[in-house]
Amino acid sequence: MLIVKLIKHTQQVKKTNQRNNIRLLFSLIPILFFSICCKKQSHNKEGTEKDLYYEILSENKKIIGYSHRKYFFIRDTITEKNISFDLKGNITNQYSKKFLKKKSNLYFLSAENIDFKKDIYLSLLSKDSCHRIEQRFKRFEVCFLSYINYKNYKNVYKIHYEEISDDGLVETIILNKDFTILAKFYESNNYGKEIIIDYKLVNKTVKKSIDSLAPLTREQCH
């Protein structure tokens, strides 16, 4: 009898363990599904982002401010958001621009009612090619001058930008191969140039202003 009882007890323990394992498996399914979904979201991003920082220098090569540009690359579109600061961390200028990249051409996108107007901004097919863009309140011309080497960047794009007005802005812009700005050299305004730098070279006061405005870019699962 004792042996029979032991066999029955062992069978009951096995059945109980099986039921517990099944319950545990079903309880883990939502967690596993949730984890897989989060991984899919993190690997299926529509685009990428790029943060760049710049010193703004006067004609006397004195630092008078900093700029932060955030670029968003989504398929063929490039969005540039710029905020400039003085040395006290106050915002001195901000703007947003949107471009469309098609092969060797870059198009400037401007809002027209609910649609976007597409104007050719830059063509890399030939040097000294110029394109004029007519907006409601501003007209400007952009010319592709040449390929150059700038610091450690090879075969990047040198362009001429000029606003068509009596006191319009005139500048030479150095663009990286992904069409992000590396430097600006001004022929007008009260400062001489704007050059790309490492974030660690931005002064602490401006860093606080940049960080307070920076959106949350890290993905989260909810």
Side-chain angles (χ1 to χ4, degrees):
M1 290 295 293
L2 180 60
I3 294 173
V4 172
K5 286 182 180 180
L6 284 172
I7 292 172
K8 286 183 178 180
H9 178 71
T10 303
Q11 289 174 341
Q12 288 176 350
V13 169
K14 284 183 178 180
K15 287 180 181 179
T16 302
N17 288 338
Q18 287 174 349
R19 285 197 296 270
N20 288 338
N21 288 336
I22 291 170
R23 289 194 191 99
L24 179 61
L25 177 61
F26 276 99
S27 68
L28 286 174
I29 286 174
I31 297 172
L32 291 170
F33 178 77
F34 177 79
S35 176
I36 290 169
C37 285
C38 286
K39 286 182 179 178
K40 283 183 178 179
Q41 287 177 358
S42 63
H43 288 294
N44 289 336
K45 291 171 123 183
E46 285 190 352
T48 58
E49 298 177 4
K50 189 174 184 180
D51 288 278
L52 298 176
Y53 305 91
Y54 307 80
E55 285 179 345
I56 302 172
L57 300 143
S58 68
E59 294 177 336
N60 298 323
K61 299 182 180 180
K62 181 180 179 181
I63 298 174
I64 57 173
Y66 296 88
S67 287
H68 170 221
R69 286 186 177 88
K70 179 177 279 292
Y71 288 91
F72 301 87
F73 302 87
I74 301 177
R75 293 180 290 278
D76 292 333
T77 63
I78 304 169
T79 302
E80 174 197 344
K81 293 188 176 181
N82 174 81
I83 303 180
S84 298
F85 304 85
D86 63 19
L87 297 178
K88 295 181 179 179
N90 300 312
I91 295 174
T92 57
N93 185 33
Q94 57 183 325
Y95 64 79
S96 179
K97 294 180 180 178
K98 198 176 190 71
F99 301 91
L100 177 69
K101 181 185 175 186
K102 289 291 184 182
K103 295 183 179 179
S104 296
N105 292 333
L106 189 68
Y107 294 87
F108 184 80
L109 299 176
S110 55
E112 290 281 331
N113 297 323
I114 60 172
D115 298 319
F116 275 100
K117 178 186 174 186
K118 184 174 75 172
D119 293 291
I120 189 164
Y121 181 85
L122 186 65
S123 176
L124 303 175
L125 296 175
S126 60
K127 295 179 183 179
D128 298 320
S129 59
C130 296
H131 301 279
R132 181 172 293 195
I133 297 171
E134 304 274 348
Q135 291 184 294
R136 187 175 300 175
F137 301 108
K138 184 165 47 173
R139 294 182 302 157
F140 56 92
E141 187 174 70
V142 181
C143 301
F144 171 52
L145 300 179
S146 62
Y147 295 94
I148 66 167
N149 296 331
Y150 175 74
K151 295 188 174 181
N152 295 324
Y153 303 92
K154 306 296 182 183
N155 293 320
V156 294
Y157 316 132
K158 180 180 180 181
I159 70 172
H160 173 82
Y161 173 94
E162 183 173 354
E163 293 178 2
I164 312 301
S165 64
D166 292 337
D167 56 349
L169 180 67
V170 180
E171 59 191 12
T172 298
I173 305 174
I174 310 300
L175 290 179
N176 203 350
K177 291 177 181 178
D178 60 359
F179 297 106
T180 58
I181 292 174
L182 297 174
K184 286 187 174 188
F185 301 93
Y186 297 93
E187 297 175 31
S188 56
N189 287 344
N190 61 346
Y191 46 86
K193 58 185 176 179
E194 189 174 351
I195 57 173
I196 192 167
I197 58 170
D198 192 277
Y199 176 70
K200 65 185 179 184
L201 297 177
V202 179
N203 78 21
K204 292 181 180 179
T205 303
V206 175
K207 277 182 181 177
K208 288 180 181 178
S209 296
I210 292 173
D211 293 341
S212 68
L213 295 171
L216 183 65
T217 56
R218 184 176 55 204
E219 281 201 346
Q220 295 180 346
C221 294
H222 297 288

